[in-house]
Each structure stands twice: as structure tokens, then as C-alpha cells.
Amino acid sequence: MTIKRSTLSVEITKKVQIDYLISFPDEYADQTREWGLIVFLHGMDMRGDNVTQLLNYGLLEVANEGNLSLPFVVAVPQCPSESYWNMERDAVTALIEELSANHRVDGRRIYLIGYSLGGYGVWDLAIHNPKMFAAIVPLSSGGQVSKAEKLKDISIWAFHGAKDDIVPLEQMTDMVSAIEKHQGNVRLTIYPDLGHDIMRETLSNQELYSWLLEQTK
């Protein structure tokens, strides 16, 4: 038997597809202005092929209530059934590039927010595209501690419930600590009396969006 070492090197073209909702601020008609882009990644229960269910969920639900000032373009993609956000990484990246090219999006102000499954997606996408985002906001999740250094130049505001019995708080604190070791710009809000479901509490806070407006590449 003869064993030889060899290398395969080929280019592969990949087709990606993802459904999404998009929202524009009321002032978008001002042709002279560019806007920050928020991409919101939902949790596991919202996976599927009916993107309209995201109208009454998460960031769009809070925005539709009209109690917040959200001067952003907001895009909400839907993760397909039986998939996960890390498997849709190329599709979300392509979506951001498409929106940036075809709408008045300020490329220096692209933000990523995600809850639970979407929070894991936020960590993953930012690790693989660290130069794309000015800031990320992961909720109720954890990331790859070994790759925390890749996030040291992104502004991060993370949120977690101290009583979370689905994603242990340690997953979040370990990730935050790892980023801090690399002198990253990260802050963590822990809700002492909340569990896993912190989405409304977090997304209803105007301070979050005021903070995002201050973040730029």
C-alpha cells in the first residue's frame, strides 16, 4: 500500500437565500442622509418559513409600539427550520452587503443584536466578520472564548439574566472576561431577578439605542 500526501484547492460558488423583513425610519425620505443599520437575529422558536411572524416579535414588535426613537434601518432575517445562525452565516453576511449597497446605509455604523439562539449567532458572526460591525448586542447567550481576541475592536454591550436556567450565566461572563483580557470594549448588564427571557426588558430600553448611535468604526 502506498500513501501519498496531497492537497485539494478549488473555488466553490455557493448560493445563499434568506427571508427577511426591513424597516425604515420615518425620516428616510431625506435623500441627503445615511443611516445606521441594525440586524436583529431571533431566537430558536421563530425559525421557519413564515417571516411575517417576526412582525410581532423582538425588535420590530418593540419598534411598532412607538415608544422608542429608532433612527436606524432595521433588518430582521429568519433562520430556516432545523438550521442555526452559524449555518446561515454566509446568508446574513450577504444580506448586510446587499442592504449596504442598495440602501442609504452608513457602512461605519452596522450593528448586530440577537437573543438566545440569535445571541449565539451574534457572537459567531462578529468573530468571523470582525471588521463589519461597529457594535454588537448579544442577549442570553455565550460565544467562543478561544476566539475572543477577534472582538477586541468591536464595541459590545451584553445582557443576561442571573436566573437563566437555559443558558447559564457563566457562558456570558466567561466570554466577557475573555474579551476584557484582550482589552476589548465590552460591558455587561446582568438582571438579578430575570431568567432567560430578557428580550423585552432589553429592547425597550432607549439607552441601548442612544449607545448604539455613539458607536462607529
Side-chain angles (χ1 to χ4, degrees), residues 104-179:
R104 293 196 307 280
V105 168
D106 183 349
R108 301 168 302 164
R109 297 191 294 124
I110 297 176
Y111 313 110
L112 193 59
I113 302 176
Y115 165 68
S116 192
L117 179 74
Y120 285 100
V122 164
W123 289 119
D124 176 79
L125 194 61
I127 284 171
H128 286 85
N129 298 275
K131 295 182 179 180
M132 176 171 279
F133 303 103
I136 62 172
V137 184
L139 284 63
S140 304
S141 58
Q144 292 177 277
V145 171
S146 63
K147 297 184 179 180
E149 185 177 6
K150 293 181 178 293
L151 302 174
K152 62 184 178 63
D153 296 323
I154 302 176
S155 296
I156 303 168
W157 192 355
F159 296 82
H160 212 100
K163 297 181 178 180
D164 193 332
D165 59 357
I166 296 177
V167 178
L169 176 60
E170 289 75 18
Q171 287 197 26
M172 183 66 84
T173 55
D174 287 351
M175 191 65 184
V176 169
S177 296
I179 295 168

Side-chain angles (χ1 to χ4, degrees), residues 54-75:
L54 295 171
L55 286 167
N56 299 309
Y57 173 92
L59 186 53
L60 290 182
E61 179 184 28
V62 170
N64 288 335
E65 293 173 355
N67 298 321
L68 294 171
S69 173
L70 287 176
F72 307 92
V73 175
V74 176

Side-chain angles (χ1 to χ4, degrees), residues 14 16 85-95 97 125:
K14 178 181 178 180
V16 296
W85 284 117
N86 63 332
M87 297 167 63
E88 304 303 323
R89 186 189 306 140
D90 291 341
V92 177
T93 301
L95 172 61
E97 292 172 345
L125 194 61

